[in-house]
């Protein structure tokens, strides 16, 4: 098990936790802006009872640790422990050595920066296999078993916590800006997550499909799958090529297709997740480090 724990992932998770904590302290706490999930609950208890979010973050996550151990596996559980403890440590550090960012007259800017920092931090943690506990674990489970977007799943849970915040310490104006921050954070999480799978899938129909496939394999070193199709209008069988390439390779792919057959039909779509040789495995079928 210890061999599966990568130092690179631990460092990245700690970096993500630091980014999250910086934004949480300097934008949410300094400007009395709410947040979703367990972090939002710690803010409710901080602004109403004065309890320390760094300590509450650990206490509230004990049940989530148990759930994470049973459902996420040992490796993900270890990364979750690291992420959660890192958040509490950095929250304590940034509360003690914080500096004031004077944005109290521009809550829209506060909401944008809060969303960006929280989303970027959590996105990095998620991308390297960790969570920061709480709703992060529930979102990760939903993504693992149902394929739900982590950002959108968290947004649903966040709405409940924001409503609780509105009933305790937020006024209507701050509540609306909190919604902006949470929405931006959810989008940034998805953006960081999708960055790991920046790929496009291409469907190519051409009378010169074999020549196109050969040139793609030769020049781009990408695999091509030949599917059997049937033209509805012509009533003739057709070969349909399917190829997945990196987002930055799309122009090159189109150039190759046009070189062989300028009249080829090409459909390119976004690929949200991709695994296998050329993306997560090298040519020796080993995981890309």
């Amino acid at each position: 098990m210890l061999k599966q724990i990568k130092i690179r992932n631990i460092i990245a998770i700690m970096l993500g936790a630091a980014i999250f904590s910086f934004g949480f302290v300097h934008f949410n706490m300094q400007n009395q802006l709410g947040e979703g999930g367990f972090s939002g609950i710690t803010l409710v208890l901080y602004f109403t009872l004065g309890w320390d979010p760094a300590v509450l973050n650990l206490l509230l996550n004990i049940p989530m640790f148990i759930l994470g151990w049973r459902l996420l596996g040992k490796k993900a559980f270890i990364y979750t422990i690291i992420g959660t403890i890192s958040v509490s440590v950095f929250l304590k550090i940034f509360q003690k050595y914080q500096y004031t960012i004077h944005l109290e007259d521009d809550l829209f800017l506060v909401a944008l920066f809060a969303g960006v920092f929280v989303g970027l931090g959590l996105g990095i943690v998620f991308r390297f296999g960790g969570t920061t506990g709480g709703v992060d674990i529930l979102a990760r489970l939903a993504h693992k078993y149902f394929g739900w977007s982590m950002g959108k799943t968290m947004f649903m849970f966040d709405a409940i916590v924001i409503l609780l915040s509105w009933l305790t310490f937020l006024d209507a104006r701050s509540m609306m800006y909190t919604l902006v921050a949470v929405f931006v954070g959810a989008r940034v999480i998805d953006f960081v997550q999708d960055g790991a799978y920046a790929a496009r899938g291409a469907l190519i129909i051409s009378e010169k499909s074999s020549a196109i496939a050969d040139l793609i394999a030769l020049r781009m070193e990408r695999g091509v799958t030949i599917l059997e199709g049937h033209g509805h209008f012509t009533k003739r069988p057709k070969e349909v090529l399917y190829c997945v390439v990196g987002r930055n390779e799309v122009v090159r792919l189109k150039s190759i297709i046009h070189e062989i057959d300028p009249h080829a039909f090409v459909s390119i779509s976004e690929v949200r997740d991709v695994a296998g040789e050329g993306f997560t495995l090298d040519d020796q079928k080993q995981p890309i480090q």
Side-chain angles (χ1 to χ4, degrees), residues 4-264:
Q4 299 180 22
I5 303 300
K6 298 179 180 179
I7 300 299
R8 181 190 65 174
N9 289 32
I10 293 175
I11 294 174
I13 290 170
M14 294 177 66
L15 173 63
I19 294 172
F20 167 85
S21 301
F22 180 89
F24 188 82
V25 171
H26 291 89
F27 297 106
N28 294 85
M29 292 179 65
Q30 283 189 5
N31 297 278
Q32 285 198 307
L33 201 65
E35 181 54 63
F38 278 29
S39 300
I41 295 175
T42 65
L43 284 176
V44 170
L45 296 175
Y46 171 74
F47 286 118
T48 57
L49 301 176
W51 293 359
D52 187 354
V55 176
L56 284 174
N57 180 64
L58 287 177
L59 295 179
L60 291 175
N61 274 296
I62 292 177
M64 293 298 99
F65 289 159
I66 299 173
L67 182 62
W69 172 266
R70 290 185 172 275
L71 297 179
L72 288 180
K74 294 181 180 179
K75 183 172 73 171
F77 175 75
I78 292 174
Y79 284 150
T80 294
I81 292 288
I82 293 171
T84 305
I85 293 176
S86 295
V87 165
S88 288
V89 170
F90 283 116
L91 283 176
K92 200 70 176 178
I93 292 173
F94 288 130
Q95 285 183 84
K96 185 174 182 179
Y97 299 104
Q98 65 178 296
Y99 63 93
T100 303
I101 302 175
H102 297 286
L103 293 174
E104 57 274 1
D105 295 330
D106 193 346
L107 276 183
F108 183 72
L109 197 58
V110 170
L112 287 180
F113 273 98
V116 168
F117 272 86
V118 169
L120 179 60
L122 292 182
I124 292 174
V125 171
F126 290 154
R127 181 167 172 174
F128 285 88
T131 76
T132 57
V135 177
D136 300 357
I137 293 180
L138 299 179
R140 186 174 176 83
L141 291 174
H143 178 72
K144 179 178 181 180
Y145 291 107
F146 303 106
W148 296 354
S149 159
M150 286 187 177
K152 292 177 182 177
T153 303
M154 292 178 65
F155 188 80
M156 179 180 65
F157 285 103
D158 292 344
I160 299 174
V161 178
I162 292 171
L163 177 61
L164 176 63
S165 301
W166 182 37
L167 296 174
T168 52
F169 74 93
L170 288 180
D171 56 27
R173 180 169 177 262
S174 296
M175 188 270 291
M176 288 187 285
Y177 280 116
T178 296
L179 288 174
V180 172
V182 171
F183 178 78
V184 171
R187 298 298 297 174
V188 173
I189 288 172
D190 286 341
F191 177 80
V192 176
Q193 284 287 104
D194 292 343
Y197 312 107
R200 296 292 185 269
L203 286 172
I204 308 160
I205 302 175
S206 169
E207 298 295 335
K208 303 176 181 179
S209 56
S210 294
I212 292 174
D214 290 341
L215 203 57
I216 291 174
L218 177 64
R219 292 188 183 176
M220 303 184 67
E221 297 184 347
R222 289 295 187 187
V224 181
T225 299
I226 299 178
L227 308 174
E228 295 296 332
H230 190 87
H232 172 72
F233 181 75
T234 63
K235 309 301 182 184
R236 291 163 46 196
K238 288 182 177 291
E239 289 186 343
V240 180
L241 304 181
Y242 180 68
C243 180
V244 177
V245 299
R247 183 169 52 191
N248 60 336
E249 297 177 308
V250 171
V251 174
R252 190 179 175 192
L253 175 66
K254 289 181 178 179
S255 176
I256 290 174
I257 297 170
H258 188 269
E259 180 181 334
I260 300 296
D261 184 3
H263 304 291

